């Protein structure tokens, strides 16, 4: 029998529907793959085997009756940021020790309503703060990709590093992820997988542990563009429990995948050509432009003049919102508590012990920029710059651009414990230089594997779309996927 | 703008995160690196620009001001490190 874990999500779904195999069989195949790989990759931080088999049996019963939803019987991994009833939900942090939610996030509830099976919870940077999955309390995740003839372990990117690693290494058919500054697209780029951050408001944030509420969005990481379209269709939708979710019909995104780019106007922003950018990134970008042109797209050079200010503005807005959101972890309501003589001492000791270094840094930066006397100079100024960044995009879209093509990351995956990045937090932040503008403007963005660097590691291109026009991103993403071929499977060493 | 160790101590207290004396200097360095990085925003002319409040144009949805949830206090305190009779327990705050 073929290895069921190697099938795309779409093929898994079809095979289940055709009764070529059962959900219990696919689920068992994935549970076996996780057991074999996880001691090396550390992608899952909790495996819910019993629950998964129960969900799979229920799916099989529905499928046998000719019923079932759009993801019936398909085994998925869930980022540890999503609240799932009665199961591990710690946002990769020590401070949520032992927390078992009494409620389910809207996005995961949507997936279960459509018949998906939960394999377990996926590792991530603590509170989604990081670009390498090294800030997790549960230890770093390893990228299933290695450089040619190398046995050096590489990072899978972050913060959705567990999601990206698990999907790339065939440990689940697809995974949920979240993206605040690039946390879906950068890990997808580092692992040869597809990741889309939809328009802000497309997916409900209810039940997702909050990092920066005005930037956070959920999305899928999958092995193909079509798989992402299928998963996002299920995840998205209006939810009255999230006042920023948008009351708008969700299209069948998969129907847009084969639409092509003929006649579309693809913008190429000159500000994304960075000084000192590796030659291979530039070559990849030019290749992507060529692919679009060959398929009948019109290529237009555009300018997004405030691009370089997106990352510094982000490092005011995101920590400010984080400092406020993370105030709730106080040793009283859930998780870790370190006793103190007074209530303030208890708070301070609990938070000192419960948060890792990166989270502390960001909470403190956020606290500082919001403190009396600095609020206008930092926070208000950053929100003004954010308006300018959004206006840059509005202008090019008004001029007729349908989507924007850029590199996804400034490099391929780097090694775990990279000294330069460890020594200088800003170096790590630069990973998000191409992705963060999209969050600041609330736009949809997709990362699609497009080529490899000289060491044979995957590289990706990013497409940025108009608000609520994810369909064009799937259509254009499919063009890149088709042209780049399907050589985006890591060689198994684990 | 940059922060010194006294400021870091003050921010630590505002954020309710205990910072050990020996970590103050290195933390100040790290925070100053980040603050130095965001300094470039001062180059941008933001005169007359409206600060962003919502990234997607939308009106705040309203709902009737009625109780539509609740009645499960024991569930609320389920995850509390210390609770009694459906109350959260904390160190004494009133003398």
């Amino acid at each position: 029998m073929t290895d069921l874990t190697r099938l795309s999500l779409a093929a898994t779904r079809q095979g289940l529907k055709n009764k070529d195999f059962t959900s219990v069989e696919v689920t068992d195949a994935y549970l076996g793959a996780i057991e074999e790989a996880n001691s090396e990759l550390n992608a899952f931080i909790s495996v819910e085997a019993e629950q998964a088999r129960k969900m799979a049996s229920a799916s099989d019963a529905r499928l046998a009756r000719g019923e079932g939803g759009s993801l019936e019987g398909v085994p998925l991994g869930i980022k540890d940021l999503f609240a799932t009833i009665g199961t591990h939900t710690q946002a990769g942090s020590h401070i949520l020790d032992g927390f078992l939610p009494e409620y389910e996030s809207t996005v995961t509830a949507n997936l279960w309503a459509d018949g998906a099976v939960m394999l377990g919870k996926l590792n991530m940077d603590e509170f989604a703060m990081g670009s390498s999955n090294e800030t997790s309390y549960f230890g770093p995740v390893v990228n299933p990709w290695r450089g040619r003839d190398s046995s050096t372990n590489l990072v899978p990117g972050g913060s959705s590093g567990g999601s990206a690693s698990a999907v790339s290494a065939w440990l689940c058919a697809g995974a949920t992820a979240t993206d605040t500054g690039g946390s879906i697209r950068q890990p997808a780029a580092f692992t040869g997988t597809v990741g889309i951050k939809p328009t802000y408001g497309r997916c409900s944030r209810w039940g997702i542990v909050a990092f920066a509420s005005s930037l956070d969005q959920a999305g899928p990481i999958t092995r193909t563009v079509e798989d992402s379209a299928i998963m996002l269709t299920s995840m998205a939708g209006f939810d009255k429990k999230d006042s920023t979710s948008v009351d708008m019909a969700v299209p069948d995104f998969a129907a847009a995948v084969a639409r092509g780019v003929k006649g579309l106007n693809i913008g190429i922003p000159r500000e994304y050509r960075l000084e000192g950018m590796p030659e291979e990134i530039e070559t990849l970008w030019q290749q992507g432009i060529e692919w679009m042109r060959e398929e009948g797209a019109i290529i237009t050079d555009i300018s997004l003049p405030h691009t370089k200010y997106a990352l510094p503005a982000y490092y005011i807005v995101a920590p400010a919102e984080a400092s406020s959101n993370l105030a709730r972890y106080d040793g009283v309501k859930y998780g870790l508590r370190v006793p103190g003589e007074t209530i303030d001492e208890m708070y301070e000791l609990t938070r000192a012990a419960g948060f890792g270094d990166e989270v502390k840094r960001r909470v403190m930066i956020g606290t500082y920029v919001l403190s009396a006397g600095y609020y206008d100079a930092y926070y208000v100024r950053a929100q003004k710059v954010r308006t300018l960044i959004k206006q840059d995009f509005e202008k090019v879209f008004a001029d007729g651009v349908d989507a924007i093509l850029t590199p996804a990351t400034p490099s391929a995956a780097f090694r775990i414990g990279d000294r330069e990045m460890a020594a200088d937090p800003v170096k790590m932040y630069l990973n998000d230089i191409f992705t963060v503008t999209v969050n600041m403007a609330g736009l949809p963005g997709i990362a699609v594997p497009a080529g490899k660097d000289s060491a044979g590691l995957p590289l990706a291109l990013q497409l940025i779309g108009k608000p609520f026009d994810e369909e064009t991103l799937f259509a254009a993403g499919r063009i890149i996927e088709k042209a780049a071929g399907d050589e985006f499977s890591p060689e198994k060493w684990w | 703008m940059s922060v010194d160790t006294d400021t870091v101590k003050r921010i630590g207290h505002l954020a309710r995160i205990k910072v050990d004396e020996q970590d103050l200097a290195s933390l100040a360095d790290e925070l100053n690196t980040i603050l130095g990085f965001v300094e470039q925003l001062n180059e941008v002319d933001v005169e007359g620009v409206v600060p962003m409040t919502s990234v997607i144009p939308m009106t705040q949805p309203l709902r009737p001001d009625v109780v539509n949830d609740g009645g499960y206090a024991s569930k609320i305190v389920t995850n509390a490190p210390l609770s009694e009779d459906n109350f959260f327990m904390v160190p004494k705050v009133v003398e």
Side-chain angles (χ1 to χ4, degrees):
Chain A
M1 195 158 101
T2 50
D3 184 349
L4 295 175
T5 66
R6 299 282 174 136
L7 298 175
S8 67
L9 186 153
T12 306
R13 181 170 82 151
Q14 196 54 47
L16 286 165
K17 211 171 168 187
N18 295 350
K19 304 196 174 60
D20 297 338
F21 43 80
T22 65
S23 177
V24 169
E25 285 168 343
V26 191
T27 301
D28 276 332
Y30 277 118
L31 290 170
I34 295 167
E35 187 160 330
E36 192 189 332
N38 213 41
S39 61
E40 295 281 356
L41 301 180
N42 198 28
F44 277 86
I45 41 187
S46 107
V47 180
E48 306 296 335
E50 200 184 319
Q51 185 186 328
R53 291 197 179 98
K54 219 181 273 171
M55 290 174 93
S57 302
S59 281
D60 283 333
R62 282 190 288 270
L63 287 161
R65 291 196 300 266
E67 300 167 7
S70 64
L71 290 168
E72 198 63 58
V74 176
L76 302 177
I78 302 299
K79 189 178 182 179
D80 200 35
L81 206 62
F82 293 80
T84 46
I85 291 182
T87 49
H88 192 284
T89 301
Q90 287 189 218
S93 181
H94 184 31
I95 208 160
L96 272 166
D97 266 5
F99 179 62
L100 297 174
E102 290 286 333
Y103 55 93
E104 187 80 25
S105 83
T106 298
V107 163
T108 49
N110 289 345
L111 292 170
W112 314 144
D114 282 338
V117 170
M118 178 168 87
L119 292 166
K121 299 303 280 288
L122 293 160
N123 206 341
M124 54 178 286
D125 277 304
E126 186 181 8
F127 285 106
M129 298 179 191
S131 301
S132 64
N133 217 121
E134 295 172 292
T135 74
S136 169
Y137 175 66
F138 301 94
V141 174
V142 174
N143 192 329
W145 287 82
R146 282 175 166 176
R148 200 175 291 114
D149 305 322
S150 166
S151 56
T152 304
N153 281 341
L154 304 175
V155 304
S159 67
S160 309
S163 306
S165 175
V167 169
S168 174
W170 308 283
L171 308 186
C172 54
T176 64
T178 60
D179 191 314
T180 303
S183 283
I184 290 175
R185 292 158 288 154
Q186 184 253 15
F190 277 13
T191 56
T193 55
V194 176
I196 180 164
K197 180 204 91 77
T199 314
Y200 186 80
R202 200 45 121 171
C203 290
S204 168
R205 292 181 297 105
W206 198 83
I208 301 175
V209 175
F211 162 14
S213 306
S214 77
L215 301 158
D216 297 344
Q217 260 296 290
I221 291 181
T222 60
R223 292 192 280 264
T224 71
V225 171
E226 185 189 16
D227 289 358
S228 270
I230 293 169
M231 242 185 106
L232 183 62
T233 305
S234 176
M235 292 167 73
F238 174 62
D239 176 14
K240 61 180 185 216
K241 286 187 287 200
D242 173 5
S243 65
T244 62
S245 92
V246 174
D247 193 357
M248 197 181 211
V250 179
D252 175 10
F253 290 123
V257 171
R259 219 152 71 173
V261 293
K262 200 169 164 57
L264 288 186
N265 190 336
I266 307 287
I268 311 298
R270 71 175 67 104
E271 290 80 7
Y272 282 61
R273 190 158 288 117
L274 299 180
E275 219 173 290
M277 189 160 84
E279 186 62 38
E280 1 188 61
I281 302 285
E282 175 65 34
T283 311
L284 182 83
W285 196 9
Q286 290 309 318
Q287 178 66 75
I289 294 170
E290 211 36 61
W291 288 333
M292 289 294 152
R293 201 177 270 135
E294 281 165 17
E295 293 287 332
I298 302 149
I299 304 297
T300 309
D301 285 320
I302 58 169
S303 173
L304 299 165
H306 295 90
T307 298
K308 73 175 269 210
Y309 301 111
L311 201 59
Y314 174 86
Y315 275 97
I316 291 173
V317 174
E321 295 184 14
S323 74
S324 165
N325 274 326
L326 271 59
R328 72 191 69 183
Y329 305 103
D330 58 2
V332 174
K333 298 184 287 295
Y334 24 60
L336 185 74
R337 174 175 198 155
V338 178
E341 289 294 312
T342 63
I343 194 163
D344 271 333
E345 193 186 35
M346 188 270 283
Y347 291 152
E348 293 194 5
L349 293 173
T350 298
R351 290 162 63 83
F355 291 144
D357 290 344
E358 182 60 27
V359 172
K360 285 182 196 168
R361 260 198 297 270
R362 295 205 200 182
V363 167
M364 289 179 73
I365 283 285
T367 303
Y368 180 67
V369 300
L370 290 177
S371 64
Y374 297 103
Y375 180 81
D376 286 329
Y378 284 112
Y379 189 71
V380 174
R381 174 169 280 267
Q383 290 289 46
K384 286 180 178 174
V385 171
R386 199 174 166 189
T387 298
L388 293 172
I389 292 163
K390 186 164 157 48
Q391 286 171 353
D392 284 354
F393 282 105
E394 283 168 349
K395 190 168 173 303
V396 300
F397 289 137
D399 288 347
V401 165
D402 295 299
I404 297 165
L405 180 69
T406 77
T409 56
S411 74
F414 45 89
R415 63 170 62 209
I416 291 176
D418 186 287
R419 277 202 199 141
E420 275 187 27
M421 297 215 201
D424 179 354
V426 172
K427 278 231 165 65
M428 184 66 90
Y429 298 170
L430 290 172
N431 269 287
D432 289 337
I433 191 121
F434 298 133
T435 48
V436 76
T437 50
V438 172
N439 302 76
M440 293 301 269
L443 303 172
I446 192 170
V448 181
K452 290 188 187 138
D453 76 351
S454 55
L457 296 171
L459 295 170
L461 290 170
Q462 172 181 238
L463 287 150
I464 303 169
K466 292 189 237 185
F468 302 103
D469 187 20
E470 289 85 1
E471 289 170 286
T472 296
L473 299 188
F474 287 122
R478 175 65 190 138
I479 297 300
I480 295 173
E481 181 178 57
K482 211 162 62 179
D486 52 6
E487 295 303 309
F488 289 95
S489 295
E491 218 161 288
K492 193 165 179 244
W493 53 265
W494 55 91
Chain B
M1 280 178 268
S2 65
V3 295
D4 54 19
T5 53
D6 279 346
T7 312
V8 173
K9 207 189 259 180
R10 190 175 60 86
I11 303 168
H13 180 63
L14 284 174
R16 298 294 187 272
I17 297 174
K18 171 117 184 111
V19 183
D20 288 334
E21 285 293 327
Q22 73 262 24
D23 296 333
L24 285 172
S26 61
L27 194 52
D29 282 349
E30 289 167 9
L31 298 186
N32 283 327
T33 306
I34 300 168
L35 292 171
F37 175 64
V38 304
E39 202 81 335
Q40 52 183 305
L41 292 182
N42 292 331
E43 300 164 14
V44 187
D45 179 9
V46 293
E47 189 61 42
V49 178
V50 180
M52 180 173 288
T53 47
S54 171
V55 73
I56 295 297
M58 62 191 308
T59 45
Q60 192 67 12
L62 298 174
R63 64 169 175 81
D65 186 14
V66 293
V67 177
N68 61 5
D69 198 6
Y72 40 77
S74 63
K75 271 184 160 188
I76 303 290
V77 299
T78 293
N79 281 289
L82 202 61
S83 70
E84 218 176 279
D85 300 331
N86 289 344
F87 287 98
F88 295 111
M89 303 296 283
V90 295
K92 194 172 173 185
V93 286
V94 184
E95 286 306 322

